[in-house]
């Protein structure tokens, strides 16, 4: 069995354990936007929150002592990367995109660790054939494995997600497309597949809807005749009062999407707006390099990360 298939098998085992082996522990399928930092956002005290947001918390932890001159020079280099349309200004939208990427570095690190295993011909791309052969090669050689896992169903599901991530339809994934394949919850254009896969997991009678018992059964398994925990009773009330919006006793695709992908407060958008507001000296709604560098302490402070590494990692994606 290949390493990739073993990984799939382990994940399935963990899934079964979580669903069936812990009857009193709640399983949460909701995807919330993570906080940009665990620091308090109080600019009157310091700009630590802004540094975490702009660079990513892990990058911010690697700050080295730099003089203000060095910080300004390296921040100026970053501005050139943030200015996606190369018009000489950084907009709120460009800042938001940069912050979101900074916050996704843990995702990119995960993809980077897997990339070499799947890019068999080392061409800087991963085709569906490469992914399928690495992940399901053993199954393709022996379509009737002894471990009982339904690899054919898993492979069909992976192929559907791969095609969704592959924007140009050539069945060859760039690094960004492969990231969307592995982490679909992070990409707006992949959210429908996240909802579809979730519904397929929960919808035991395959009617395309999630009823109350399927909803509860996904997160709680009865253990004998014991009384349900209080949180289960609360979830039943949540389903009736909030999940099932049209009161037909079941959740459809839109209702499921509202549940697992709620429209949370957009932290990156709020931080981008804050950075522009604090730095936009001429109040034209966008930032020049000079305006950003002039407020370098807001973005990077007198301690700055290894910008060379940050630039490389942003360029990779």
């Amino acid at each position: 069995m290949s390493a990739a298939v073993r990984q799939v098998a382990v994940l399935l085992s963990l899934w079964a354990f979580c669903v069936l082996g812990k009857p009193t522990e709640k399983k949460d399928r909701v995807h919330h936007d993570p906080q940009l930092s665990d620091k308090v956002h109080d600019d009157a005290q310091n700009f630590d929150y802004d540094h975490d947001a702009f660079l990513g918390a892990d990058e911010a932890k690697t700050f080295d002592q730099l003089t203000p001159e060095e910080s300004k020079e390296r921040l100026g280099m970053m501005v050139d990367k943030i200015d996606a349309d190369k018009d000489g200004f950084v907009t709120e939208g460009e800042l938001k995109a940069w912050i979101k990427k900074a916050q996704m570095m843990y995702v990119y690190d995960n993809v980077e660790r897997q990339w070499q295993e799947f890019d068999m011909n080392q061409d800087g791309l991963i085709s569906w054939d490469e992914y399928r052969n690495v992940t399901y090669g053993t199954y393709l050689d022996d379509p009737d494995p002894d471990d009982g896992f339904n690899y054919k169903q898993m492979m069909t599901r992976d192929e559907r997600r791969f095609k969704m991530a592959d924007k140009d339809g050539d069945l060859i994934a760039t690094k960004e497309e492969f990231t969307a394949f592995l982490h679909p919850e992070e990409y707006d254009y992949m959210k429908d597949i996240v909802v579809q896969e979730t519904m397929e997991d929960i919808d035991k009678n395959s009617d395309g809807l999630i009823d109350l018992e399927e909803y509860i059964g996904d997160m709680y398994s009865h253990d004998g005749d014991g009384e349900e925990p209080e949180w289960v009773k609360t979830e039943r009330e949540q389903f009736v009062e909030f999940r099932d919006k049209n009161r037909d006793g079941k959740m459809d695709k839109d209702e499921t999407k509202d549940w697992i992908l709620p429209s949370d407060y957009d932290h990156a958008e709020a931080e981008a707006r804050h950075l522009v507001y604090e730095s936009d000296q001429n109040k034209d709604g966008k930032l020049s390099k000079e305006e950003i560098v002039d407020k370098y302490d807001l973005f990077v402070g007198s301690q700055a990360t290894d910008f060379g590494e940050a630039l490389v990692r942003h360029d990779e994606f």
Side-chain angles (χ1 to χ4, degrees):
M1 184 182 292
S2 73
V5 170
R6 282 197 302 272
Q7 182 182 28
V8 171
V10 168
L11 289 173
L12 283 174
S13 299
L14 289 173
W15 174 84
F17 178 73
C18 289
V19 173
L20 303 175
K22 296 184 177 181
T24 60
E25 183 173 321
K26 182 178 178 181
K27 179 181 178 182
D28 190 5
R29 287 189 178 270
V30 181
H31 299 278
H32 292 288
D33 288 337
Q35 295 286 337
L36 302 181
S37 172
D38 58 6
K39 312 285 177 51
V40 176
H41 195 184
D42 183 359
D43 288 356
Q45 297 295 322
N46 56 59
F47 297 130
D48 290 348
Y49 178 98
D50 301 296
H51 298 166
D52 281 0
F54 183 69
L55 297 165
D58 288 341
E59 289 293 329
K61 290 176 184 177
T62 66
F63 275 23
D64 295 322
Q65 294 289 339
L66 293 176
T67 66
E69 290 71 25
E70 290 171 322
S71 292
K72 291 177 182 179
E73 179 182 358
R74 297 185 182 188
L75 177 58
M77 294 169 58
M78 294 189 81
V79 172
D80 293 334
K81 304 296 181 182
I82 301 170
D83 178 18
D85 62 7
K86 307 303 178 188
D87 68 348
F89 295 95
V90 170
T91 64
E92 187 177 301
E94 288 170 333
L95 260 180
K96 175 183 173 180
W98 176 268
I99 290 168
K100 282 188 175 293
K101 282 206 168 186
Q103 298 301 313
M104 283 180 62
M105 279 304 171
Y106 76 96
V107 170
Y108 294 141
D109 286 344
N110 173 263
V111 173
E112 198 62 41
R113 284 192 294 271
Q114 299 188 58
W115 185 261
Q116 296 304 320
E117 179 180 2
F118 292 105
D119 183 14
M120 301 298 291
N121 62 4
Q122 301 294 302
D123 66 347
L125 300 165
I126 293 176
S127 67
W128 165 248
D129 286 341
E130 285 177 314
Y131 178 82
R132 181 192 59 194
N133 290 338
V134 171
T135 307
Y136 298 104
T138 303
Y139 161 74
L140 294 172
D141 293 336
D142 177 16
D144 189 23
D146 296 329
D147 55 26
F149 288 120
N150 190 337
Y151 290 107
K152 182 178 181 180
Q153 182 179 349
M154 290 160 53
M155 186 169 65
T156 299
R157 181 161 158 159
D158 272 355
E159 183 176 12
R160 183 182 63 192
R161 188 197 285 190
F162 193 97
K163 288 179 177 178
M164 179 73 75
D166 175 31
K167 284 186 170 183
D168 57 11
D170 61 359
L171 284 182
I172 300 174
T174 63
K175 190 165 286 187
E176 188 72 14
E177 289 170 335
F178 193 63
T179 305
F181 167 69
L182 292 179
H183 298 273
E185 69 283 351
E186 301 290 350
Y187 291 80
D188 286 341
Y189 80 100
M190 295 293 290
K191 287 185 176 179
D192 283 347
I193 203 72
V194 175
V195 174
Q196 184 175 358
E197 291 178 359
T198 301
M199 293 190 75
E200 289 172 351
D201 288 343
I202 302 173
D203 176 22
K204 300 305 181 186
N205 64 8
S206 301
D207 66 350
L209 300 165
I210 298 174
D211 62 34
L212 175 58
E213 294 312 312
E214 289 170 335
Y215 173 79
I216 295 298
D218 179 61
M219 61 183 76
Y220 170 72
S221 178
H222 288 277
D223 186 13
D225 297 324
E227 186 177 354
E228 287 184 347
E230 195 62 35
W231 68 262
V232 176
K233 297 177 182 178
T234 301
E235 284 296 336
R236 289 186 181 277
E237 295 170 0
Q238 289 284 318
F239 183 94
V240 173
E241 294 297 324
F242 302 107
R243 309 281 184 246
D244 177 21
K245 291 181 169 57
N246 63 6
R247 301 293 192 270
D248 67 350
K250 299 181 179 183
M251 284 196 299
D252 58 23
K253 180 179 178 180
D254 289 337
E255 289 167 333
T256 302
K257 185 175 184 178
D258 288 343
W259 165 45
I260 66 171
L261 298 169
S263 299
D264 288 341
Y265 178 76
D266 194 324
H267 300 284
E269 183 176 304
E271 177 64 10
R273 189 181 304 119
H274 169 69
L275 292 175
V276 170
Y277 177 81
E278 293 294 333
S279 309
D280 184 13
Q281 296 177 14
N282 64 5
K283 302 304 177 186
D284 63 351
K286 55 188 177 182
L287 301 180
S288 66
K289 181 184 289 190
E290 291 72 21
E291 287 174 323
I292 293 175
V293 172
D294 189 56
K295 290 284 292 185
Y296 77 96
D297 56 336
L298 173 65
F299 292 88
V300 299
S302 57
Q303 291 180 312
T305 188
D306 182 347
F307 281 95
E309 180 181 354
L311 288 168
V312 168
R313 295 173 79 189
H314 273 287
D315 275 347
E316 287 175 351
F317 293 92

